[in-house]
Amino acid sequence: MLNIRDTLFVATAALGFSAAQVAAQTTFIVAVPSDPGQFNPGITTGAHVHAVADSIFNGLVGLDSDLQPVPDLAASWSVSDDGLTYTFNLNQAAWHDGKPFTSADVKFTFENILFKYHSRTKAGLSGVVSAIETPDDRTVIFRLSSPHPAFLRRLNVTEAPILAKHIYENAGDPAEAEANSTPIGTGAYKFVSYSPGDRVVLEENTNYFKGDVTDLDRVVFRIIKDRETALLALQRGEVDYLPRMSAKDISRVEDQSTILTATAGPGGGNCIMTVSFNQDRELTQNSAFRQAFARAVDRNRLNDQVLFGRGKVANAPFSSAIGWAHDASALDALSYDSAAASAILAEAGISDATIDMVHFPNFTKYAELMAQDLAKVGINLVSRPLDRSAAIDAIFKQRDFDTNLISYCNGVDPEIGIKRMYVSSNIAPIPFSNASAYSNDKIDDLFAAAGNTADEAARAAAYGEIQSILADELPYFWLVETVRITAANPNFSGYRPWSGQYLETVRAN
Amino acid sequence: MLRMTLSRTAQAIIMVWAVATALFFLLNAVPGGPVLALTGEFADPDTVARIEERLGLNRPLAERYLSFLGLLASGNLGESYTYAKPALAVTLSHLPATLVLAIPSILMAAAIGLPLGIRAARPGPLSGVIIATALVLFAVPVFWLGHMLRLAPGASTVFPVQGMTDPRGFYQGAAYWRDVSYHAVLPVLTLTMHQMAYTILITRRAIRAQWVRPYVRTGLAKGASVSRVEWRHALPNGAAPIFALFGNRIGWFLSGAILVEVVYAWPGLGQLTLAAIQNRDLPLVISVVVVGVLFTMLGNLLADIAQTASDPRLRSGKAAS
């Protein structure tokens, strides 16, 4: 029995398919859960596309592990005192087909692709950028109509990937362009091949403008839908990198993998598991009921039992990762206290309440634990797990829910991922908009003011006021801040799991 | 023969139309749409409207159904939303990988299941063991069987737990097929075990039914061995349900093997179907199902032909049902 493997190895080696054949090349294998379908990161915010395509492209700026802007395609930049003019000096980069990268590519990408098709950048920047000027090939100037403090942080490869003008200029509708299946980028890796449902193969860009930054010769993204299979493949060494895994599985792989945690990643970050209370339903409209709900839920238990202690109980409506805007004591008054919750319900005359909670199937454990807590105070929480498309339809189109549970990703600035949840203008059948349908003029005004000034202290003050109003009114309830957990091959280092370009600087140990 | 060809063709056309129509309306009634899978989060109403217009989703259902029928009549099942390529072409490109699993499984299941099923028709303790094993294997969900198989101490250290080829390999020609075979061992074994269990149970029942017939006793009385009576006499007479079983199961292998393919991350129709449903990629779902229907019908046809060939009573054409 002992020798089966050896025998097989010898036999296979004799047949000529031993690993030695390709040993000179380092091939790195990433397990991704869904098929990208296409590779144009400028026309979608979908994580399934960005998880692969971000390695092929660059943004103007990157983000470091503290999510601060660092050079990417832009070597340096300067900002005018009024915060209205950003001047970028570009690196001397080349497209994968050999053509030079110039400022014209930047202007073209923003005006013709990102402002039209990239929903987050379109919503966030198209109204703010009044002009893009290209005085020469290596300089690009953005003129803003009003200060936009989040501007630099919205220019990374996930938010604003730069595409080649010469590829897309005459390609017709960029959403249908042939070039989307054979991407030409500037990134550290070049596209080689794609077998739908199976794998995407990239190879090192030996002409990368940042020089020889990686030891990987090839990166293969294997599409593995089943999480258990991906874990086993990692344990067996068939896969080197699992970008997202569940905290409960860490113990199975930690002795053979490097476990990385990050609050951000391709497709969004700084996420908080958030309960929305439907403001159109009688019971959830009642602020006493919402208060009681909040006091009845033991959020520490959620962190312990669902996230295995890797997350953090939310202590404010805003993510603690956006430190300057975060009010760490905002939710102090809402500590777990069943007795207090019961008292609030009794005073409000609410008894034997039954409410439903719509959520994605992978959030079932949260719903179960909350249902146990709420049962203690006489609230019957009925969990309604629906698949992703159906849940979004029920919540944002049909508005058929009492409460729902969503992972709201705050992004790297409140302007990006937080404002959308609270402003009344965003009560619309749009996925991940204002799910509660919360409307408060004061909140609308404060968000408008905070988004309209470059003065960080003034912004922080406005956001602080917003958080105390939200904690008071509780249109939502913020449970736990989650982290992305990544398992990676320990024979390499230099992973950047918080970024779309997570393999840009991987080195063998 | 001509009549049979015509009637089968007409049957196939009606079947495809009925299945495609039912699916079209069902999938349109399912909540959620394909737009989110294309844009990602944060899509504004303009973007959603533009995509719906591009995909023709903003038109009334009746109108869409008519143009869908037009496409269907021309043998075109529309363009996949996810891949922006003809749905039928995407489906067919995933077919070979599924056949790599299905064909060896069907053949091995027949080669092992048939003799075991015949043996299990005899009385005795060995039959009991065979039947019990088959019942267990048949009752176990096939995805679970697949998962348990790769956790088995021997299997998990020797064979790959997922995929169809080694991404580090980049093999060509014969080396490529050796790599595929190596990766196929566990999924093929899973499917074989499931199908074998089915084969044993059906074969046993078919042969049991023959055992009580007088000709079997006559055969034994004239001195034929038990196995000759089983194979030469009982099997051809009792073959109808066995042929039907294999005919029907071809469709199962294409669609039902989904679970095994997902467990083993095998890039065939299974993973494609799951992704198509999750992404609400309507043309792709319909295309996969239509291909499955056609294969099932082809399987039934082959089963009928094989049965006719093996049974002289059917061959003359006089004993048509």
Side-chain angles (χ1 to χ4, degrees):
Chain A
M1 260 338 259
L2 192 75
N3 282 327
I4 285 188
R5 198 180 183 178
D6 294 350
T7 315
L8 207 86
F9 180 74
V10 171
T12 55
L15 288 168
F17 74 111
S18 83
Q21 221 173 22
V22 284
Q25 297 269 325
T26 303
T27 300
F28 190 86
I29 301 165
V30 179
V32 290
S34 43
D35 204 356
Q38 60 89 14
F39 305 95
N40 183 344
I43 58 168
T44 178
T45 59
H48 59 300
V49 174
H50 283 270
V52 175
D54 285 3
S55 288
I56 307 171
F57 291 91
N58 296 92
L60 278 179
V61 304
L63 296 174
D64 66 12
S65 56
D66 297 323
L67 307 181
Q68 294 303 312
V70 290
D72 200 12
L73 277 172
S76 62
W77 53 83
S78 59
V79 188
S80 66
D81 290 341
D82 59 6
L84 292 176
T85 307
Y86 285 74
T87 306
F88 296 91
N89 304 305
L90 305 180
N91 272 307
Q92 187 129 16
W95 294 100
H96 293 155
D97 61 3
K99 300 231 165 52
F101 156 77
T102 70
S103 55
D105 293 312
V106 178
K107 182 178 164 72
F108 173 83
T109 301
F110 275 90
E111 290 177 349
N112 295 54
I113 305 215
L114 298 172
F115 286 170
K116 290 182 181 165
Y117 300 93
H118 190 286
S119 41
R120 209 151 44 208
T121 300
K122 177 185 177 186
L125 292 184
S126 65
V128 174
V129 174
S130 55
I132 300 173
E133 292 159 19
T134 53
D136 63 60
D137 277 358
R138 305 251 70 84
T139 309
V140 59
I141 300 169
F142 284 77
R143 297 202 186 277
L144 311 190
S145 52
S146 59
H148 190 77
F151 186 64
L152 284 174
R153 293 196 191 96
R154 303 189 87 142
L155 301 181
N156 67 349
V157 67
T158 302
E159 301 302 312
I162 304 299
L163 308 178
K165 182 183 180 188
H166 67 275
I167 301 283
Y168 282 98
E169 195 171 26
N170 300 310
D173 183 350
E176 294 189 311
E178 200 55 38
N180 295 347
S181 52
T182 51
I184 297 289
T186 48
Y189 300 96
K190 294 197 283 193
F191 176 80
V192 177
S193 67
Y194 173 39
S195 322
D198 182 7
R199 69 184 64 169
V200 185
V201 181
L202 310 183
E203 66 181 10
E204 186 189 1
N205 172 12
T206 49
N207 193 26
Y208 192 40
F209 67 92
K210 294 181 188 172
D212 180 20
V213 290
T214 173
D215 286 346
L216 307 182
D217 300 301
R218 264 200 200 92
V219 176
V220 177
F221 297 88
R222 263 282 290 146
I223 297 135
I224 302 180
K225 286 193 168 296
D226 185 58
R227 278 157 55 173
E228 186 58 37
T229 302
L231 266 175
L232 272 174
L234 183 83
Q235 287 178 314
R236 283 281 315 270
E238 291 174 23
V239 155
D240 297 303
Y241 194 87
L242 198 54
R244 282 197 106 152
M245 58 181 291
S246 161
K248 72 176 162 51
D249 295 323
I250 290 176
S251 59
R252 289 174 54 187
V253 296
E254 63 189 343
D255 47 348
Q256 65 197 79
S257 307
T258 306
I259 301 291
L260 308 159
T261 55
T263 59
N270 301 337
C271 309
I272 303 180
M273 295 301 303
T274 307
V275 175
S276 316
F277 297 103
N278 191 339
Q279 302 296 307
D280 302 326
R281 293 259 169 110
E282 201 184 324
L283 197 55
T284 42
Q285 233 172 26
N286 185 332
S287 104
F289 175 80
R290 301 196 299 266
Q291 290 281 340
F293 185 111
R295 306 286 317 254
V297 171
D298 183 355
R299 298 181 296 154
N300 278 307
R301 195 163 75 109
L302 295 178
N303 187 34
D304 290 344
Q305 296 190 13
V306 188
L307 301 174
F308 290 75
R310 295 268 170 173
K312 199 190 297 184
V313 169
N315 53 11
F318 288 20
S319 167
S320 60
I322 313 174
W324 60 271
H326 170 81
D327 174 4
S329 58
L331 299 183
D332 282 357
L334 293 169
S335 59
Y336 168 56
D337 188 338
S338 284
S342 296
I344 297 171
L345 288 173
E347 196 181 327
I350 301 168
S351 59
D352 293 329
T354 295
I355 50 165
D356 70 7
M357 173 171 279
V358 173
H359 57 84
F360 299 157
N362 52 332
F363 296 158
T364 298
K365 184 84 180 157
Y366 287 103
E368 276 173 7
L369 292 176
M370 280 193 278
Q372 289 168 7
D373 287 343
L374 291 166
K376 289 180 205 156
V377 299
I379 299 174
N380 177 23
L381 183 76
V382 180
S383 160
R384 273 176 66 201
L386 294 174
D387 94 340
R388 195 174 162 82
S389 299
I392 287 165
D393 197 70
I395 296 169
F396 296 99
K397 275 203 179 135
Q398 315 299 335
R399 299 205 60 73
D400 172 23
F401 65 93
D402 297 317
T403 69
N404 66 59
L405 180 61
I406 290 176
S407 168
Y408 268 110
C409 293
N410 284 189
V412 292
D413 191 284
E415 274 288 297
I416 299 174
I418 296 180
K419 181 180 168 182
R420 59 174 168 154
M421 298 166 63
Y422 304 106
V423 294
S424 58
S425 59
N426 213 22
I427 302 173
I430 302 172
F432 309 105
S433 54
N434 184 340
S436 290
Y438 173 62
S439 170
N440 179 337
D441 292 345
K442 178 83 178 148
I443 292 282
D444 290 351
D445 293 345
L446 284 167
F447 269 112
N452 222 346
T453 169
D455 176 357
E456 202 158 89
R459 293 185 76 206
Y463 290 136
E465 199 177 339
I466 287 172
Q467 287 170 87
S468 61
I469 296 174
L470 292 175
D472 214 37
E473 301 203 336
L474 279 183
Y476 296 82
F477 185 51
W478 308 269
L479 303 175
V480 283
E481 296 189 3
T482 52
V483 286
R484 256 169 209 272
I485 301 164
T486 299
N489 185 334
N491 298 330
F492 296 89
S493 53
Y495 302 111
R496 306 168 71 232
W498 63 87
S499 160
Q501 301 153 317
Y502 46 95
L503 299 178
E504 188 189 26
T505 54
V506 172
R507 291 286 189 199
N509 290 336
Chain B
M1 199 62 202
L2 177 71
R3 225 181 110 191
M4 183 172 153
T5 313
L6 284 178
S7 92
R8 289 287 181 146
T9 312
Q11 234 178 46
I13 291 172
I14 293 170
M15 194 72 171
V16 166
W17 168 78
V19 167
T21 299
L23 265 180
F24 179 86
F25 288 105
L26 268 176
L27 290 171
N28 272 296
V30 170
V35 176
L36 184 76
L38 296 174
T39 60
E41 298 178 11
F42 302 84
D44 57 315
D46 279 5
T47 309
V48 173
R50 202 191 56 240
I51 290 176
E52 286 185 339
E53 195 185 329
R54 179 161 68 82
L55 302 179
L57 296 172
N58 55 345
R59 294 179 297 150
L61 196 60
E63 193 187 320
R64 286 172 52 206
Y65 177 62
L66 286 179
S67 60
F68 169 73
L69 278 188
L71 279 175
L72 195 63
S74 65
N76 178 341
L77 294 167
E79 195 162 271
S80 155
Y81 303 153
T82 323
Y83 297 105
K85 292 199 173 71
L88 194 59
V90 173
T91 308
L92 294 179
S93 73
H94 284 67
L95 188 59
T98 297
L99 293 180
V100 163
L101 294 186
I103 291 171
S105 309
I106 291 179
L107 296 179
M108 278 165 55
I112 306 168
L114 219 51
L116 285 178
I118 290 172
R119 178 61 188 79
R122 292 185 196 170
L126 180 60
S127 301
V129 172
I130 296 174
I131 294 164
T133 312
L135 278 171
V136 169
L137 284 180
F138 181 64
V140 165
V142 67
F143 63 90
W144 192 78
L145 188 65
H147 185 53
M148 287 300 118
L149 205 57
R150 65 183 173 187
L151 294 182
S156 62
T157 48
V158 175
F159 296 107
V161 294
Q162 53 84 35
M164 183 164 134
T165 52
D166 177 5
R168 293 189 176 88
F170 298 95
Y171 303 117
Q172 304 282 322
Y176 171 81
W177 285 106
R178 275 196 296 273
D179 191 32
V180 170
S181 316
Y182 181 47
H183 281 77
V185 170
L186 293 181
V188 164
L189 207 56
T190 308
L191 288 171
T192 302
M193 284 162 86
H194 188 77
Q195 172 74 359
M196 184 190 74
Y198 212 159
T199 310
I200 290 173
L201 296 174
I202 298 278
T203 306
R204 176 189 168 264
R205 207 136 88 108
I207 301 296
R208 276 302 284 174
Q210 301 300 320
W211 266 106
V212 299
R213 300 286 186 88
Y215 75 83
V216 170
R217 205 172 308 160
T218 309
L220 292 171
K222 76 171 185 187
S225 69
V226 174
S227 60
R228 180 175 163 82
V229 168
E230 284 168 342
W231 286 88
R232 187 67 193 88
H233 301 295
L235 182 60
N237 276 312
I242 304 171
F243 281 119
L245 160 74
F246 277 89
N248 281 322
R249 297 291 280 182
I250 289 180
W252 181 85
F253 267 98
L254 293 185
S255 51
I258 283 179
L259 296 169
V260 175
E261 288 192 7
V262 170
V263 166
Y264 282 99
W266 190 269
L269 288 177
Q271 288 222 95
L272 185 72
T273 310
L274 185 64
I277 293 170
Q278 282 170 345
N279 294 334
R280 302 288 192 267
D281 193 337
L282 191 136
L284 196 53
V285 176
I286 291 180
S287 167
V288 172
V289 174
V290 164
V291 168
V293 166
L294 290 176
F295 264 87
T296 305
M297 299 190 75
L298 183 71
N300 282 326
L301 183 67
L302 289 177
D304 283 0
I305 291 171
Q307 202 178 331
T308 313
S310 76
D311 191 335
R313 286 170 304 179
L314 296 174
R315 212 178 308 156
S316 65
K318 285 175 197 155
S321 55

